[in-house]
Amino acid sequence: MALENKLVRKTRRTSQVSTILSISLVLFMLGLQGVLLFHAQRVGNYVKENIELSVVIQNDADTAEIQNLFTRISGSPIVKSSKLVSKEQAAENLKNDLGEDFISFLGYNPLNASVDMRIKAEFADTATINHFIQSLSSSKAVLQINYQPSLVQEINRNLKTITLVLLGFSALLFIISVALINNSIRLSLYAKRMLIKSMLLVGATKGFIRKPFLKYSFFNGIAGGLISILLLTLVMYLVIQKLPELSMIQDYVVMGVLAGGMVVLGVFLSLICTLFAVNKYLRLRSEELF
């Protein structure tokens, strides 16, 4: 009898460990997909906000006109950053890029002063940028505005495609995850189907029978969620060690929300799948248990 009880406890522990590992691996894959989506968005925003627009200033523009133009650009809600570059600074920058003094060769400075700016990611589309350019073109101080609309369109198109692919893959992975967790829990409860039916036959209420199973599933979901967070943290640490640049776009608040979401999702899926599985065995007739 003692040996039989020992085997039952061992089988129960093995079943519980298997369920927790299944939940944790599934949640890890979902969390990894969430991290990919987040970083795709952050990298996309980083790329968008590094698209530079240059407002070239007329040579005959006076200081007041230039300052008013710069103030107007800097105060725009769509502008992330702006910098006023004088003729002399523009010449110095080009000299450093070329590695030679072109002014000595030409005898004069052919460059114009300019205002270089970067647009906020949420406004980095051709329609918004073109509207902003038209509003700036009315200024007498503006000679021309340089930017590449084709580059903006290509970046937005590629980012949209990547996002849609990742979302589609995430939806598919979620469906597969639910199926895997459900099957794992159903297999775990299959060994207890006789116990469930026996309790029902001796007069135990369905709520009383469900309670311990839901209790275990609650803790299994928490354990699976915590293990998945540890695995995801380890993977992120190893990736950042290889690609230190990723540390610049980390948002630990979002990562914290994602981690909490993984635990909540683990508990929710574990409870729901357990509830359906227990109800199934409660509804079965005695002859259907074999």
Side-chain angles (χ1 to χ4, degrees), residues 7-23 181 183-192 213 216-217 220 270:
L7 288 174
V8 169
R9 287 195 299 269
K10 184 177 180 181
T11 303
R12 187 179 301 169
R13 284 197 300 268
T14 303
S15 175
Q16 186 174 14
V17 169
S18 175
T19 302
I20 291 173
L21 287 178
S22 297
I23 294 172
I181 291 177
N183 287 336
S184 177
I185 290 175
R186 286 180 65 181
L187 286 173
S188 174
L189 289 176
Y190 179 78
K192 304 179 181 69
F213 292 106
Y216 277 113
S217 70
N220 288 347
S270 182

Side-chain angles (χ1 to χ4, degrees), residues 35-45 159 162-163 166:
V35 169
L36 288 175
L37 277 169
F38 167 73
H39 281 88
Q41 183 185 31
R42 291 301 295 266
V43 170
N45 289 343
L159 288 175
I162 292 170
T163 301
L166 288 176

Side-chain angles (χ1 to χ4, degrees), residues 195-215:
L195 174 62
I196 293 173
K197 198 64 178 179
S198 299
M199 293 175 68
L200 190 63
L201 291 174
V202 298
T205 64
K206 292 182 179 180
F208 180 82
I209 296 171
R210 291 190 193 101
K211 186 176 179 180
F213 292 106
L214 292 176
K215 177 182 175 182

